[in-house]
Amino acid sequence: MTLKRRLPFLRWSVLRMAGSGTRNIVTTGQIGDGREAAAVAYVLANARAGDIDDVLATIDKFAYEESMLINVGDEKGALLDAAVRRADPKLALELGTYCGYGALRIARAAPAAKVYSVELAEANAVNARQIWAHAGVADRVTCVVGTIGDGGRTLDALAAEHGFTAGALDFLFLDHDKDAYLPDLHSIVDRGWLHAGAIVVADNVKVPGAPKYRAYMRDQQGTRWNTVEHKAHLEYQTLLHDLVLESEYLG
């Protein structure tokens, strides 16, 4: 790995993101410099259509060589893949679609699963759908525009339109607003969708950080949840460290 790849602050796209990009993410779901649309164009121009592996590799190449993206990335993505394979889901839910990368990894690791991804920003949903179509998985990966914290509207839509019923959810990936990890998990648990043995993976628990979520999982260890903390690096660099939490629901 080159020094520029390893050290994020040598890359202009990281410096741009560290400025106004952080504020933009909270309000619009995007960095604000057009990198997400550029990533879609790059994938459509360079990745083989219908080839999930090549689409994911092309997104990773864009994030390393063009502009850094804030999806789970290749290193932590391998942890996500392994957790998905352990869950062997028929129904999977992601919170936080961004460019569609995480849902694509879930779809690859669980080819028999229906994957749903909830995304607040319509622009991200449009981008993700293009990438999923190019990868050939649009028939089994669906973006639902909304948020779990909207008073129940999105949860009701998942139940009424997409088959989310008691005990039906096998796998949940949290990669959206870090402050929403814990309340959104509680909302899903309260619906009864998770069954004993279902797996929940949470990204970015150290950076930017989800301290309340981590504290909850530690408090519930061995009672409602069995959690493993995976040490890794923040996406697309090796300077900053991060944590991925993998939690098995005990019921």
Side-chain angles (χ1 to χ4, degrees):
M1 180 177 288
T2 66
L3 187 65
K4 198 171 183 179
R5 278 192 172 200
R6 189 173 69 85
L7 301 177
F9 300 112
L10 296 179
R11 300 161 61 186
W12 281 113
S13 66
V14 177
L15 296 175
R16 290 197 303 270
M17 185 169 63
S20 61
T22 303
R23 295 191 300 273
N24 289 331
I25 279 291
V26 174
T27 57
T28 69
Q30 297 188 348
I31 301 300
D33 60 2
R35 71 182 66 191
E36 292 84 9
V40 175
Y42 188 87
V43 167
L44 298 184
N46 294 284
R48 290 186 296 273
D51 187 333
I52 299 179
D53 292 339
D54 197 48
V55 170
L56 285 166
T58 302
I59 297 171
D60 288 334
K61 184 177 180 181
F62 178 90
Y64 276 120
E65 299 181 2
E66 302 294 331
S67 292
M68 181 179 279
L69 300 172
I70 58 169
N71 44 245
V72 66
D74 51 351
E75 179 190 354
K76 292 186 292 181
L79 297 172
L80 175 63
D81 296 347
V84 172
R85 288 192 290 267
R86 279 189 284 273
D88 190 24
K90 297 297 182 290
L91 182 65
L93 177 64
E94 173 188 53
L95 304 186
T97 307
Y98 193 47
C99 293
Y101 180 94
L104 194 57
R105 291 198 80 111
I106 295 169
R108 182 178 66 173
K114 284 286 188 180
V115 182
Y116 292 87
S117 186
V118 173
E119 170 57 44
L120 178 62
E122 177 66 36
N124 284 338
V126 171
N127 287 337
R129 289 168 184 147
Q130 291 181 76
I131 285 178
W132 297 337
H134 192 74
V137 298
D139 60 328
R140 57 191 183 91
V141 184
T142 301
C143 187
V144 177
V145 177
T147 176
I148 301 303
D150 63 3
R153 291 187 299 276
T154 297
L155 289 168
D156 288 345
L158 289 169
E161 301 170 23
H162 302 297
F164 282 71
T165 58
L169 183 57
D170 307 301
F171 186 84
L172 173 64
F173 180 40
L174 304 176
D175 196 19
H176 59 318
D177 178 4
K178 313 314 165 191
D179 292 336
Y181 278 16
L182 188 55
D184 286 359
L185 176 67
H186 285 325
S187 294
I188 289 168
V189 169
D190 289 347
R191 291 269 173 153
W193 291 349
L194 293 171
H195 57 80
I199 290 177
V200 179
V201 170
D203 189 20
N204 300 123
V205 175
K206 184 174 183 180
V207 181
K212 291 181 180 179
Y213 180 88
R214 188 184 187 192
Y216 169 78
M217 285 302 181
R218 286 182 164 183
D219 182 64
Q220 297 295 314
Q221 180 69 13
T223 55
R224 298 199 74 183
W225 298 92
N226 183 27
T227 298
V228 176
E229 296 190 352
H230 298 284
K231 294 181 179 179
H233 295 96
L234 197 64
E235 43 269 23
Y236 301 119
Q237 52 80 53
T238 59
L239 178 65
L240 301 176
H241 293 272
D242 198 5
L243 284 173
V244 175
L245 265 58
E246 178 184 345
S247 304
E248 179 186 354
Y249 185 54
L250 302 179

